[in-house]
Amino acid sequence: TLLVALAAVIGSVDSTTSFRVCFGVLLLTLCVAQLKVAADLYKHRNNLLLQLFQPDSLSLFVTAGAIATIASLMFAFPEYDATCALRQPIILTSITFMGNLMIGRAWRIGSI
């Protein structure tokens, strides 16, 4: 049904608007999926098998990915000063946070 709705949107408006709508729906779907994974990791963090993989840092990693994903929606907006000024710092801060989590995890594993 989602594809039918997107096809109807594409056929009824110009290509720029339809791209923005499709891009927004895709990014929103990905962000919801990422936040669901983060919530499930946090919910089941006391599971013995999951504790080996540090679920708290995995939840933060996935949440940072969700923030970067939803911030990518700013690329679909017209070139306003606010979106130009905000999109790169938000995305790069999230990616830097994800990199810091990976380095911290690698250091922890290497120090064992």
Side-chain angles (χ1 to χ4, degrees), residues 28-49:
L28 185 64
T29 304
L30 289 174
C31 184
V32 167
Q34 288 173 326
L35 291 175
K36 169 94 170 85
V37 168
D40 286 344
L41 282 170
Y42 187 76
K43 179 180 171 183
H44 300 292
R45 69 185 180 277
N46 293 326
N47 185 334
L48 185 61
L49 183 61

Side-chain angles (χ1 to χ4, degrees), residues 11-103:
S12 65
V13 293
D14 65 343
S15 62
T16 304
T17 305
S18 65
F19 169 74
R20 289 181 184 153
V21 169
C22 293
F23 190 62
V25 168
L26 176 68
L27 287 177
L28 185 64
T29 304
L30 289 174
C31 184
V32 167
Q34 288 173 326
L35 291 175
K36 169 94 170 85
V37 168
D40 286 344
L41 282 170
Y42 187 76
K43 179 180 171 183
H44 300 292
R45 69 185 180 277
N46 293 326
N47 185 334
L48 185 61
L49 183 61
L50 194 57
Q51 284 181 349
L52 296 172
F53 297 103
Q54 302 168 337
D56 294 332
S57 60
L58 280 176
S59 301
L60 289 173
F61 188 83
V62 175
T63 304
I67 292 169
T69 300
I70 204 65
S72 298
L73 184 61
M74 290 186 196
F75 283 110
F77 292 148
E79 296 296 323
Y80 296 122
D81 290 339
T83 57
C84 285
L86 288 176
R87 65 183 172 204
Q88 291 172 341
I90 292 172
I91 293 170
L92 293 177
T93 302
S94 298
I95 292 173
T96 303
F97 184 66
M98 292 166 68
N100 290 339
L101 282 170
M102 287 177 52
I103 289 170

